[in-house]
Amino acid sequence: MIIDWLTGTAFRVAGTGTTWAELLGFATGVLNVWLVARQKIANWPIGIANVLLLMLLFWTAGLYADAGLQVVYVALGCYGWWHWLFGGERRTRLTVSRTGRREWLALAAAGVLLTGALWVLLDRATDSTVPLPDALTTALSLLATYGQTRKRVESWWLWIAADLIYIPLYAYKGLHLTAVLYLVFLALCVLGLRAWRSDMRRADRPSAVPPGPAPVTA
């Protein structure tokens, strides 16, 4: 079966096995974030393939919230794919924008509630050994993905915060290649933040007025 192959060992590093799911998740994950930073629409189908691989990987590692999160990512991936194509003015392609104050307040409230609910669920209903960081990274990742579907430039800050927790978390759970992957993600997020900021500045820059006589008014 394909699942047996994906969960099989591709190679070992310092005695720790790395599965094909983790290896392919590494490759598709790096490609996905690079495409997002460049605002390429192909990031969405690549991203959907990536989260399906990570869903299998996280479930076998006991990171249940992260595994369940991938299901939501598939739905958000389909929404983001459509929204990037038709979410702009008059159903045109979406452009980079900032997160408003009211939207920030709503996201903060949702993040606190989601983290608390998942923490309690994971602590009481599963054998998770890392319920709080698992819950917190899940909430941050969902908020960041939402911002990404809307092309909010601040979504990169949320991803950076999540990655700074993910890296030691995955190393602790023995997912060394995935920890390295999220280190790469962290660097790509910084580049993506700079690229989206630059794009937004170009869009905000007033168009140059061509030289010539001033228009005659009535």
Side-chain angles (χ1 to χ4, degrees), residues 83-103:
H83 200 70
W84 274 35
L85 285 173
F86 306 112
E89 292 185 10
R90 299 181 181 180
R91 300 178 69 82
T92 57
R93 288 208 174 198
L94 196 64
T95 58
V96 179
S97 61
R98 294 192 180 278
T99 306
R101 181 179 299 179
R102 185 173 299 179
E103 191 175 16

Side-chain angles (χ1 to χ4, degrees), residues 39 194-207:
Q39 298 186 54
R194 294 180 62 185
W196 281 28
R197 278 179 166 177
S198 177
D199 185 74
M200 192 167 56
R201 283 195 296 268
R202 283 194 299 270
D204 292 341
R205 191 177 301 155
S207 301

Side-chain angles (χ1 to χ4, degrees), residues 9-162:
T9 300
F11 60 87
R12 292 184 176 275
V13 176
T16 301
T18 296
T19 66
W20 286 105
E22 188 173 4
L23 181 62
L24 292 173
F26 183 103
T28 55
V30 170
L31 179 58
N32 175 54
V33 179
W34 181 80
L35 290 170
V36 173
R38 295 176 63 84
Q39 298 186 54
K40 300 295 185 182
I41 201 70
N43 87 84
W44 295 108
I46 295 295
I48 290 171
N50 174 252
V51 299
L52 291 175
L53 289 165
L54 293 180
M55 182 192 306
L56 177 61
L57 175 67
F58 294 151
W59 186 265
T60 57
L63 294 168
Y64 304 114
D66 272 342
L69 175 63
Q70 308 312 307
V71 179
V72 182
Y73 277 157
V74 172
L76 286 173
C78 294
Y79 170 74
W81 195 348
W82 178 89
H83 200 70
W84 274 35
L85 285 173
F86 306 112
E89 292 185 10
R90 299 181 181 180
R91 300 178 69 82
T92 57
R93 288 208 174 198
L94 196 64
T95 58
V96 179
S97 61
R98 294 192 180 278
T99 306
R101 181 179 299 179
R102 185 173 299 179
E103 191 175 16
W104 264 127
L105 291 173
L107 291 173
V112 170
L113 291 173
L114 185 59
T115 299
L118 286 173
W119 184 12
V120 171
L121 177 65
L122 291 169
D123 187 52
R124 298 183 180 181
T126 75
D127 60 354
S128 174
T129 59
V130 285
L132 179 56
D134 197 3
L136 179 57
T137 50
T138 298
L140 285 171
S141 297
L142 280 172
L143 297 180
T145 303
Y146 164 79
Q148 184 178 303
T149 66
R150 312 286 295 184
K151 276 198 180 179
R152 304 296 196 224
V153 69
E154 293 84 4
S155 64
W156 290 110
W157 285 113
L158 294 174
W159 275 126
I160 288 169

